[in-house]
Amino acid sequence: MTLRRYLQLDVFADRPGAGNPLAVVLDTDGLDDVQMQAIARWTRLPETTFVFAPTQPGASYRIRMFSPRREVPFAGHPSVGTAHVVLEAGLAEASQGRLLQEGVAGLLPLAVDGAGASRTIAVRTPKAQVVEIAAGHDPRLQSALSGLALGALPPALMDGGRRWWLAELASESALRGANPDWDAIAALAESTASMGLCAFARADGGRDYDLVVRAFVGAPARFEDAASGAANATLAAWLNHNHALPGRRQDDGGHRYSVSQGREVGFDARLELRVDGDGEVWSGGQVCNVVRGTIDWA
């Protein structure tokens, strides 16, 4: 058997147990696709990543991401968490506050801000495009949104590497109290080749976050995501498209805001979203180490 460094993290969290779990495997020489998929299936975490030496000029490292079912071309929390591990392991150093991740989705920069436990990392996500704008009474959405009062923006299907239906609800309390119709969400996901429904609402006054997000994955499995960097990045692109970003305008002409996600499923994640002056979306937050050790895998 081969000993390989292995870590489990909480991503988008300032403490263990609050964020989205991730497994990261280092010392990956000799692992093939079948073995990586087997490890990801064994961890039973949303994603497991594997770190390799880069092959592209300028890249800091190369990443492969696997869910328990399949390889994933891009996801936000695995990108942020893996960058944290690479920095801690000394496999790469940030240059002028940047890392460059090589993966199936191409070369993606990550911004590194600060050091130690308070350090934040954000990945510049693939550009998201509007696929379709729908009405709230669209028959494909009616069951998934049944009984929910919608907000100002119409529902939309966005593609940011993964497709999500986005729907604004009228209030934070309505969103937090929503009980998803999983059959309807699964049918929506399957009929539109999407992940499912990402519902969001403006935060009530006095909160230390700007938006509340709940991401209901309908296919291939049915679950509520504890904290999705990719879904939130797709949402940020939609809000920017509509000139409806919450939060704070930056000196560079960009915009920054904070998201609360996961409380309804026992977590308490916090994501930091930034849309820069060029319209690029950066999705990030803090990362906590939870498990450090080795994995015995041939």
Side-chain angles (χ1 to χ4, degrees):
M1 302 299 285
T2 302
L3 288 177
R4 307 176 189 275
R5 283 173 289 175
Y6 174 83
L7 298 93
Q8 286 187 202
L9 317 167
D10 256 356
V11 183
F12 306 133
D14 61 358
R15 63 195 185 280
N20 205 350
L22 173 72
V24 181
V25 180
L26 304 177
D27 309 313
T28 52
D29 287 350
L31 287 177
D32 60 24
D33 291 9
V34 172
Q35 290 169 310
M36 286 187 282
Q37 185 64 76
I39 293 171
R41 185 169 57 247
W42 173 80
T43 70
R44 293 189 173 185
L45 295 180
E47 274 93 16
T48 300
T49 66
F50 301 84
V51 179
F52 296 87
T55 63
Q56 297 294 317
S60 306
Y61 57 93
R62 184 165 63 94
I63 186 175
R64 301 278 299 274
M65 307 180 189
F66 288 79
S67 77
R69 296 170 180 261
R70 61 188 179 187
E71 185 167 11
V72 177
F74 171 76
H77 98 274
S79 298
V80 170
T82 303
H84 168 86
V85 169
V86 166
L87 288 170
E88 289 214 330
L91 298 179
E93 293 184 0
S95 175
Q96 297 182 331
R98 293 287 190 270
L99 293 169
L100 190 60
Q101 174 179 286
E102 176 188 345
V104 175
L107 294 173
L108 296 175
L110 295 105
V112 181
D113 187 13
S118 63
R119 178 178 59 204
T120 61
I121 300 172
V123 59
R124 193 190 73 191
T125 60
K127 284 185 178 294
Q129 304 292 328
V130 178
V131 177
E132 181 181 353
I133 299 174
H137 55 75
D138 187 302
R140 296 167 300 172
L141 296 166
Q142 276 186 325
S143 296
L145 296 171
S146 178
L148 299 173
L150 296 181
L153 294 179
L157 179 61
M158 295 282 291
D159 192 334
R162 290 175 167 184
R163 289 187 171 193
W164 281 97
W165 278 99
L166 307 175
E168 181 177 8
L169 299 193
S171 68
E172 177 177 348
S173 60
L175 177 56
R176 291 203 182 277
N179 293 311
D181 181 332
W182 286 108
D183 288 340
I185 290 171
L188 176 67
E190 290 165 2
S191 67
T192 58
S194 67
M195 296 291 293
L197 176 65
C198 177
F200 67 99
R202 310 279 167 166
D204 292 342
R207 307 295 192 190
D208 61 351
Y209 48 85
D210 302 295
L211 282 186
V212 180
V213 168
R214 297 183 68 182
F216 305 114
V217 180
R222 301 181 183 188
F223 67 96
E224 181 170 349
D225 203 327
S228 174
N232 272 283
T234 302
L235 171 56
W238 171 238
L239 293 171
N240 188 49
H241 175 81
N242 288 279
H243 307 287
L245 288 165
R248 305 161 298 283
R249 183 169 293 279
Q250 305 295 293
D251 292 339
D252 64 359
H255 223 91
R256 186 184 297 271
Y257 66 91
S258 180
V259 170
S260 169
Q261 187 178 354
R263 290 183 182 177
E264 294 72 25
V265 286
F267 300 88
D268 189 16
R270 190 64 52 87
L271 297 89
E272 301 296 329
L273 276 294
R274 183 169 67 89
V275 181
D276 66 24
D278 295 323
E280 300 283 359
V281 176
W282 299 76
S283 179
Q286 293 177 245
V287 182
C288 293
N289 296 318
V290 180
V291 175
R292 305 176 198 238
T294 57
I295 182 172
D296 292 359
W297 211 283

